[in-house]
Amino acid sequence: MVQSLELLLDPDSDAAIRRDWAYLAELGLPSQARHTGASNRPHVTVAVASAFDVGTEDRLGELVTTDDAVPGTLRLGGLVVFGGARVTLARAVVPSAELMEFHALVHEKLGDSPGVPPHLMPGRWTPHVTLAMRGKPHEIGSAATALSPGLRDLDATVAGVRRWDGDAKQEWMLGEAQNR
């Protein structure tokens, strides 16, 4: 499984993305709305590893409680498509200097954590919020066509930094009291 660090969106931005999810689902298209797990919510994945080495959790916790380390706002822009056997449709996150600096700092804090995908490394990362995953190319094309007419840039506030433990199927907010 995976260990990840994610930026969560403010309630209004979260609701806007969920409306897009619901619209795609209503049209019978691939949508994150179909993932009904309690932890499913709009987010920007900043880091993933197959495991976190000893000390990573503490280093990440210290980072997110450092003044001005976590970007305060994100701009969600146009649509982006990631290919493969199955295709993903997402909203691009405009890569501000603050976001890219935070991303680089997070990856420094990962230390020797194994299993970090190359496409998430600094200089190769495409920040995004997923709208639909594992679709066939024609379905993702239909989804993009459906969303495009009403698509506008969205300024979102970062509501928190979430840790996801895919092995334990648990989530918690870094920088807050933790009950794990």
Side-chain angles (χ1 to χ4, degrees):
M1 292 304 284
V2 299
Q3 304 297 311
S4 67
L5 185 77
E6 304 162 349
L7 298 176
L8 299 181
L9 309 178
D10 65 88
D12 290 341
S13 301
D14 183 281
I17 296 298
R18 288 178 189 272
R19 281 191 297 275
D20 287 345
W21 290 0
Y23 181 56
L24 292 174
E26 287 170 17
L27 295 174
L29 295 168
S31 168
Q32 283 300 98
R34 298 188 195 293
H35 175 359
T36 58
S39 64
N40 185 37
R41 67 189 54 153
H43 65 274
V44 179
T45 301
V46 179
V48 169
S50 57
F52 280 171
D53 76 355
V54 174
T56 295
E57 187 80 25
D58 291 337
R59 291 189 301 269
L60 290 173
E62 289 170 10
L63 175 63
V64 303
T65 57
T66 302
D67 287 343
D68 299 326
V70 178
T73 59
L74 302 171
R75 173 160 278 194
L76 280 60
L79 299 174
V80 61
V81 175
F82 300 102
R86 292 295 188 155
V87 183
T88 296
L89 178 68
R91 290 284 303 262
V93 176
V94 177
S96 67
E98 295 82 9
L99 178 60
M100 301 313 282
E101 182 178 335
F102 177 68
H103 180 255
L105 289 170
V106 165
H107 280 265
E108 284 178 20
K109 304 298 181 194
L110 290 180
D112 292 325
S113 297
V116 177
H119 70 275
L120 283 174
M121 296 298 291
R124 299 185 69 186
W125 179 53
T126 303
H128 64 278
V129 176
T130 301
L131 301 173
M133 291 175 53
R134 299 180 190 96
K136 296 176 183 167
H138 73 276
E139 293 172 320
I140 296 300
S142 295
T145 299
L147 292 175
S148 291
L151 196 66
R152 304 287 178 270
D153 281 1
L154 175 65
D155 290 323
T157 300
V158 174
V161 180
R162 175 173 75 164
R163 264 281 285 118
W164 168 248
D165 179 337
D167 294 325
K169 303 277 191 263
Q170 290 184 321
E171 65 176 329
W172 59 93
M173 301 299 290
L174 283 185
E176 295 179 4
Q178 298 172 21
N179 299 328
R180 296 182 289 142

mmCIF file of all heavy atoms in Angstrom, residues 152-177:
data_model
loop_
_atom_site.group_PDB
_atom_site.id
_atom_site.type_symbol
_atom_site.label_atom_id
_atom_site.label_comp_id
_atom_site.label_asym_id
_atom_site.label_seq_id
_atom_site.Cartn_x
_atom_site.Cartn_y
_atom_site.Cartn_z
ATOM 1 N N ARG A 152 -14.032 27.332 -14.653
ATOM 2 C CA ARG A 152 -13.386 28.600 -14.335
ATOM 3 C C ARG A 152 -12.286 28.315 -13.318
ATOM 4 O O ARG A 152 -12.397 27.390 -12.518
ATOM 5 C CB ARG A 152 -14.377 29.587 -13.699
ATOM 6 C CG ARG A 152 -15.619 29.875 -14.513
ATOM 7 C CD ARG A 152 -15.303 30.775 -15.723
ATOM 8 N NE ARG A 152 -16.482 31.026 -16.531
ATOM 9 C CZ ARG A 152 -16.894 30.289 -17.558
ATOM 10 N NH1 ARG A 152 -16.235 29.203 -17.897
ATOM 11 N NH2 ARG A 152 -17.956 30.599 -18.252
ATOM 12 N N ASP A 153 -11.253 29.148 -13.315
ATOM 13 C CA ASP A 153 -10.226 29.007 -12.282
ATOM 14 C C ASP A 153 -10.883 29.134 -10.917
ATOM 15 O O ASP A 153 -11.865 29.867 -10.748
ATOM 16 C CB ASP A 153 -9.152 30.077 -12.435
ATOM 17 C CG ASP A 153 -8.155 29.756 -13.544
ATOM 18 O OD1 ASP A 153 -8.310 28.721 -14.213
ATOM 19 O OD2 ASP A 153 -7.225 30.558 -13.727
ATOM 20 N N LEU A 154 -10.332 28.420 -9.964
ATOM 21 C CA LEU A 154 -10.878 28.393 -8.618
ATOM 22 C C LEU A 154 -9.744 28.656 -7.632
ATOM 23 O O LEU A 154 -8.740 27.934 -7.640
ATOM 24 C CB LEU A 154 -11.509 27.022 -8.354
ATOM 25 C CG LEU A 154 -12.045 26.724 -6.974
ATOM 26 C CD1 LEU A 154 -13.227 27.640 -6.651
ATOM 27 C CD2 LEU A 154 -12.484 25.263 -6.904
ATOM 28 N N ASP A 155 -9.882 29.707 -6.817
ATOM 29 C CA ASP A 155 -8.901 29.983 -5.781
ATOM 30 C C ASP A 155 -9.337 29.258 -4.521
ATOM 31 O O ASP A 155 -10.425 29.503 -3.993
ATOM 32 C CB ASP A 155 -8.779 31.486 -5.524
ATOM 33 C CG ASP A 155 -8.114 32.201 -6.685
ATOM 34 O OD1 ASP A 155 -7.186 31.622 -7.286
ATOM 35 O OD2 ASP A 155 -8.512 33.334 -7.003
ATOM 36 N N ALA A 156 -8.493 28.353 -4.052
ATOM 37 C CA ALA A 156 -8.801 27.529 -2.888
ATOM 38 C C ALA A 156 -7.836 27.848 -1.760
ATOM 39 O O ALA A 156 -6.662 28.140 -1.998
ATOM 40 C CB ALA A 156 -8.686 26.050 -3.256
ATOM 41 N N THR A 157 -8.341 27.763 -0.557
ATOM 42 C CA THR A 157 -7.496 27.892 0.626
ATOM 43 C C THR A 157 -7.130 26.494 1.096
ATOM 44 O O THR A 157 -7.970 25.593 1.073
ATOM 45 C CB THR A 157 -8.262 28.640 1.744
ATOM 46 O OG1 THR A 157 -8.617 29.941 1.258
ATOM 47 C CG2 THR A 157 -7.421 28.780 3.000
ATOM 48 N N VAL A 158 -5.883 26.320 1.492
ATOM 49 C CA VAL A 158 -5.455 25.035 2.045
ATOM 50 C C VAL A 158 -6.045 24.922 3.450
ATOM 51 O O VAL A 158 -5.761 25.748 4.323
ATOM 52 C CB VAL A 158 -3.922 24.912 2.073
ATOM 53 C CG1 VAL A 158 -3.486 23.634 2.780
ATOM 54 C CG2 VAL A 158 -3.373 24.959 0.646
ATOM 55 N N ALA A 159 -6.882 23.916 3.661
ATOM 56 C CA ALA A 159 -7.572 23.735 4.939
ATOM 57 C C ALA A 159 -6.781 22.874 5.909
ATOM 58 O O ALA A 159 -7.104 22.832 7.096
ATOM 59 C CB ALA A 159 -8.949 23.124 4.707
ATOM 60 N N GLY A 160 -5.784 22.169 5.427
ATOM 61 C CA GLY A 160 -4.992 21.323 6.300
ATOM 62 C C GLY A 160 -4.116 20.384 5.508
ATOM 63 O O GLY A 160 -4.223 20.289 4.281
ATOM 64 N N VAL A 161 -3.246 19.698 6.231
ATOM 65 C CA VAL A 161 -2.339 18.728 5.627
ATOM 66 C C VAL A 161 -2.685 17.364 6.221
ATOM 67 O O VAL A 161 -2.600 17.161 7.430
ATOM 68 C CB VAL A 161 -0.862 19.084 5.907
ATOM 69 C CG1 VAL A 161 0.065 18.063 5.261
ATOM 70 C CG2 VAL A 161 -0.552 20.495 5.405
ATOM 71 N N ARG A 162 -3.083 16.462 5.352
ATOM 72 C CA ARG A 162 -3.534 15.138 5.780
ATOM 73 C C ARG A 162 -2.469 14.093 5.506
ATOM 74 O O ARG A 162 -1.806 14.111 4.474
ATOM 75 C CB ARG A 162 -4.810 14.776 5.018
ATOM 76 C CG ARG A 162 -5.294 13.361 5.307
ATOM 77 C CD ARG A 162 -6.628 13.075 4.688
ATOM 78 N NE ARG A 162 -6.557 12.876 3.245
ATOM 79 C CZ ARG A 162 -7.524 12.321 2.530
ATOM 80 N NH1 ARG A 162 -8.650 11.936 3.100
ATOM 81 N NH2 ARG A 162 -7.392 12.173 1.232
ATOM 82 N N ARG A 163 -2.346 13.173 6.452
ATOM 83 C CA ARG A 163 -1.532 11.971 6.259
ATOM 84 C C ARG A 163 -2.475 10.816 6.038
ATOM 85 O O ARG A 163 -3.476 10.668 6.739
ATOM 86 C CB ARG A 163 -0.689 11.710 7.512
ATOM 87 C CG ARG A 163 0.695 12.249 7.428
ATOM 88 C CD ARG A 163 1.643 11.388 6.619
ATOM 89 N NE ARG A 163 2.029 10.195 7.373
ATOM 90 C CZ ARG A 163 1.764 8.951 6.974
ATOM 91 N NH1 ARG A 163 1.144 8.683 5.861
ATOM 92 N NH2 ARG A 163 2.150 7.925 7.713
ATOM 93 N N TRP A 164 -2.176 10.018 5.045
ATOM 94 C CA TRP A 164 -2.965 8.820 4.759
ATOM 95 C C TRP A 164 -2.044 7.623 4.896
ATOM 96 O O TRP A 164 -0.960 7.587 4.302
ATOM 97 C CB TRP A 164 -3.556 8.889 3.359
ATOM 98 C CG TRP A 164 -4.137 7.598 2.888
ATOM 99 C CD1 TRP A 164 -3.652 6.809 1.882
ATOM 100 C CD2 TRP A 164 -5.293 6.920 3.376
ATOM 101 N NE1 TRP A 164 -4.447 5.699 1.724
ATOM 102 C CE2 TRP A 164 -5.471 5.740 2.638
ATOM 103 C CE3 TRP A 164 -6.213 7.205 4.395
ATOM 104 C CZ2 TRP A 164 -6.500 4.840 2.863
ATOM 105 C CZ3 TRP A 164 -7.245 6.318 4.619
ATOM 106 C CH2 TRP A 164 -7.389 5.155 3.856
ATOM 107 N N ASP A 165 -2.487 6.659 5.684
ATOM 108 C CA ASP A 165 -1.774 5.400 5.847
ATOM 109 C C ASP A 165 -2.608 4.342 5.139
ATOM 110 O O ASP A 165 -3.632 3.895 5.661
ATOM 111 C CB ASP A 165 -1.613 5.081 7.338
ATOM 112 C CG ASP A 165 -0.886 3.763 7.592
ATOM 113 O OD1 ASP A 165 -0.877 2.880 6.704
ATOM 114 O OD2 ASP A 165 -0.337 3.615 8.690
ATOM 115 N N GLY A 166 -2.192 3.967 3.937
ATOM 116 C CA GLY A 166 -2.933 2.991 3.144
ATOM 117 C C GLY A 166 -2.904 1.595 3.725
ATOM 118 O O GLY A 166 -3.812 0.803 3.479
ATOM 119 N N ASP A 167 -1.874 1.269 4.504
ATOM 120 C CA ASP A 167 -1.813 -0.052 5.145
ATOM 121 C C ASP A 167 -2.880 -0.177 6.220
ATOM 122 O O ASP A 167 -3.604 -1.163 6.272
ATOM 123 C CB ASP A 167 -0.435 -0.292 5.757
ATOM 124 C CG ASP A 167 0.666 -0.394 4.704
ATOM 125 O OD1 ASP A 167 0.392 -0.931 3.607
ATOM 126 O OD2 ASP A 167 1.779 0.074 4.974
ATOM 127 N N ALA A 168 -2.975 0.840 7.072
ATOM 128 C CA ALA A 168 -3.932 0.808 8.185
ATOM 129 C C ALA A 168 -5.294 1.381 7.790
ATOM 130 O O ALA A 168 -6.228 1.325 8.579
ATOM 131 C CB ALA A 168 -3.380 1.585 9.370
ATOM 132 N N LYS A 169 -5.381 1.954 6.574
ATOM 133 C CA LYS A 169 -6.618 2.608 6.122
ATOM 134 C C LYS A 169 -7.046 3.687 7.127
ATOM 135 O O LYS A 169 -8.203 3.770 7.515
ATOM 136 C CB LYS A 169 -7.749 1.596 5.923
ATOM 137 C CG LYS A 169 -7.425 0.483 4.961
ATOM 138 C CD LYS A 169 -7.661 0.920 3.533
ATOM 139 C CE LYS A 169 -7.608 -0.230 2.563
ATOM 140 N NZ LYS A 169 -6.333 -0.386 1.920
ATOM 141 N N GLN A 170 -6.069 4.528 7.527
ATOM 142 C CA GLN A 170 -6.330 5.594 8.480
ATOM 143 C C GLN A 170 -5.818 6.912 7.936
ATOM 144 O O GLN A 170 -4.836 6.958 7.193
ATOM 145 C CB GLN A 170 -5.634 5.328 9.814
ATOM 146 C CG GLN A 170 -6.219 4.199 10.608
ATOM 147 C CD GLN A 170 -5.524 4.062 11.954
ATOM 148 O OE1 GLN A 170 -4.310 4.212 12.075
ATOM 149 N NE2 GLN A 170 -6.315 3.775 12.969
ATOM 150 N N GLU A 171 -6.488 7.969 8.351
ATOM 151 C CA GLU A 171 -6.062 9.317 7.986
ATOM 152 C C GLU A 171 -6.005 10.169 9.244
ATOM 153 O O GLU A 171 -6.699 9.894 10.221
ATOM 154 C CB GLU A 171 -7.038 9.933 6.987
ATOM 155 C CG GLU A 171 -8.416 10.147 7.559
ATOM 156 C CD GLU A 171 -9.362 10.839 6.606
ATOM 157 O OE1 GLU A 171 -8.931 11.656 5.781
ATOM 158 O OE2 GLU A 171 -10.562 10.568 6.714
ATOM 159 N N TRP A 172 -5.149 11.183 9.212
ATOM 160 C CA TRP A 172 -5.085 12.145 10.304
ATOM 161 C C TRP A 172 -4.470 13.420 9.770
ATOM 162 O O TRP A 172 -3.808 13.433 8.738
ATOM 163 C CB TRP A 172 -4.312 11.609 11.509
ATOM 164 C CG TRP A 172 -2.898 11.217 11.238
ATOM 165 C CD1 TRP A 172 -1.791 12.001 11.394
ATOM 166 C CD2 TRP A 172 -2.424 9.947 10.762
ATOM 167 N NE1 TRP A 172 -0.659 11.307 11.045
ATOM 168 C CE2 TRP A 172 -1.026 10.037 10.659
ATOM 169 C CE3 TRP A 172 -3.053 8.755 10.414
ATOM 170 C CZ2 TRP A 172 -0.247 8.976 10.220
ATOM 171 C CZ3 TRP A 172 -2.279 7.691 9.984
ATOM 172 C CH2 TRP A 172 -0.888 7.815 9.888
ATOM 173 N N MET A 173 -4.733 14.492 10.486
ATOM 174 C CA MET A 173 -4.210 15.792 10.103
ATOM 175 C C MET A 173 -2.865 16.011 10.799
ATOM 176 O O MET A 173 -2.749 15.779 12.005
ATOM 177 C CB MET A 173 -5.178 16.913 10.507
ATOM 178 C CG MET A 173 -6.556 16.763 9.874
ATOM 179 S SD MET A 173 -6.535 16.802 8.075
ATOM 180 C CE MET A 173 -6.133 18.517 7.804
ATOM 181 N N LEU A 174 -1.873 16.414 10.059
ATOM 182 C CA LEU A 174 -0.585 16.737 10.659
ATOM 183 C C LEU A 174 -0.675 18.127 11.281
ATOM 184 O O LEU A 174 -1.345 18.997 10.747
ATOM 185 C CB LEU A 174 0.533 16.707 9.622
ATOM 186 C CG LEU A 174 1.022 15.345 9.198
ATOM 187 C CD1 LEU A 174 2.211 15.483 8.259
ATOM 188 C CD2 LEU A 174 1.401 14.468 10.374
ATOM 189 N N GLY A 175 0.017 18.283 12.379
ATOM 190 C CA GLY A 175 0.024 19.575 13.040
ATOM 191 C C GLY A 175 -1.124 19.757 14.019
ATOM 192 O O GLY A 175 -1.279 20.800 14.611
ATOM 193 N N GLU A 176 -1.960 18.729 14.188
ATOM 194 C CA GLU A 176 -3.064 18.772 15.148
ATOM 195 C C GLU A 176 -2.894 17.588 16.098
ATOM 196 O O GLU A 176 -2.154 16.660 15.810
ATOM 197 C CB GLU A 176 -4.409 18.634 14.426
ATOM 198 C CG GLU A 176 -4.720 19.797 13.508
ATOM 199 C CD GLU A 176 -6.045 19.627 12.788
ATOM 200 O OE1 GLU A 176 -6.766 18.640 13.063
ATOM 201 O OE2 GLU A 176 -6.360 20.480 11.958
ATOM 202 N N ALA A 177 -3.614 17.633 17.202
ATOM 203 C CA ALA A 177 -3.581 16.487 18.125
ATOM 204 C C ALA A 177 -4.011 15.243 17.364
ATOM 205 O O ALA A 177 -4.958 15.268 16.588
ATOM 206 C CB ALA A 177 -4.513 16.731 19.299
#
